[in-house]
Amino acid sequence: CLEANKWAIQVLGGSGYVHDYPVEQLYRDNRLNMIHEGTAGVHANTLLGRKLRDGRAAPLFAQMRASAAAADEEAAALPPDSRAESALLRELAGSLREAVARVESVTEVLTSDEARPVALVNAHEYLNLVGHTVVGWMWLRLATAAARPPPPAPAAAAAAAAEAA
């Protein structure tokens, strides 16, 4: 695309640099795509090459598993008329556990000393795997929070306390 946009600017004889035609914007956008792709590669190499070596990912994975356990607890505490929500929370928690186990396994393999010479070849795919797992984790946390009944309004809580007294 970048080459096509470059030639389109040439066809327009330089007037493609002005705002009369969208070609100059397309050219700039395509240049940024290459820069962003390079940045993603740097992040992927850093994540796999330095950030998660030597067991440094364990606290993240433990936190994800704790969120899955919290979702199970929340599902168990839901009233009987919320069976569908309870089942969904349990299913989401189970899916997160499976994803975390997969990421842990892949992390172990890719951060092992034996894999070190070739591990960074898979850095971008690993970044996607971790990213999707983290997004799933955040969605589970949101679903868990959404399943909780809302707290009573302050006026209703005060009235309930006055009646109890």
Side-chain angles (χ1 to χ4, degrees), residues 5 24 30 33 43 61 71 82 109 120 139 154:
N5 287 327
E24 51 95 18
N30 280 314
N33 287 340
H43 287 300
F61 300 145
S82 299
V109 170
L120 294 181
W139 283 353

Side-chain angles (χ1 to χ4, degrees), residues 100-111:
V100 170
R102 187 176 316 115
V103 172
E104 278 183 307
S105 174
V106 171
T107 301
E108 260 183 56
V109 170
L110 291 179
T111 59

Side-chain angles (χ1 to χ4, degrees), residues 76-101:
L78 287 173
D81 62 338
S82 299
R83 274 184 247 147
E85 290 89 349
S86 178
L88 180 60
L89 269 181
R90 288 178 203 271
E91 180 184 344
L92 293 173
S95 294
L96 180 63
R97 278 190 201 87
E98 289 173 16
V100 170

Side-chain angles (χ1 to χ4, degrees), residues 1-154:
C1 270
L2 183 65
E3 190 68 18
N5 287 327
K6 182 181 89 173
W7 283 109
I9 290 171
Q10 294 302 315
V11 167
L12 293 171
S15 66
Y17 284 111
V18 296
H19 295 286
D20 296 341
Y21 302 99
V23 176
E24 51 95 18
Q25 181 65 48
L26 295 171
Y27 184 81
R28 280 198 311 267
D29 291 349
N30 280 314
R31 288 289 303 151
L32 284 175
N33 287 340
M34 292 186 336
I35 293 168
H36 291 178
E37 288 170 4
T39 303
V42 169
H43 287 300
N45 287 339
T46 301
L47 178 69
L48 186 56
R50 293 190 316 209
K51 299 289 184 185
L52 299 182
R53 288 208 167 276
D54 305 320
R56 285 182 238 155
L60 172 66
F61 300 145
Q63 189 64 41
M64 289 179 178
R65 280 192 298 277
S67 292
D72 283 336
E73 290 173 14
E74 192 68 40
L78 287 173
D81 62 338
S82 299
R83 274 184 247 147
E85 290 89 349
S86 178
L88 180 60
L89 269 181
R90 288 178 203 271
E91 180 184 344
L92 293 173
S95 294
L96 180 63
R97 278 190 201 87
E98 289 173 16
V100 170
R102 187 176 316 115
V103 172
E104 278 183 307
S105 174
V106 171
T107 301
E108 260 183 56
V109 170
L110 291 179
T111 59
S112 69
D113 290 335
E114 298 84 33
R116 187 167 230 152
V118 294
L120 294 181
V121 171
N122 299 302
H124 191 265
E125 287 75 15
Y126 180 77
L127 177 68
N128 287 336
L129 175 67
V130 172
H132 288 123
T133 304
V134 168
V135 168
W137 175 35
M138 294 296 110
W139 283 353
L140 177 64
R141 292 180 62 194
L142 289 169
T144 303
R148 290 187 195 113

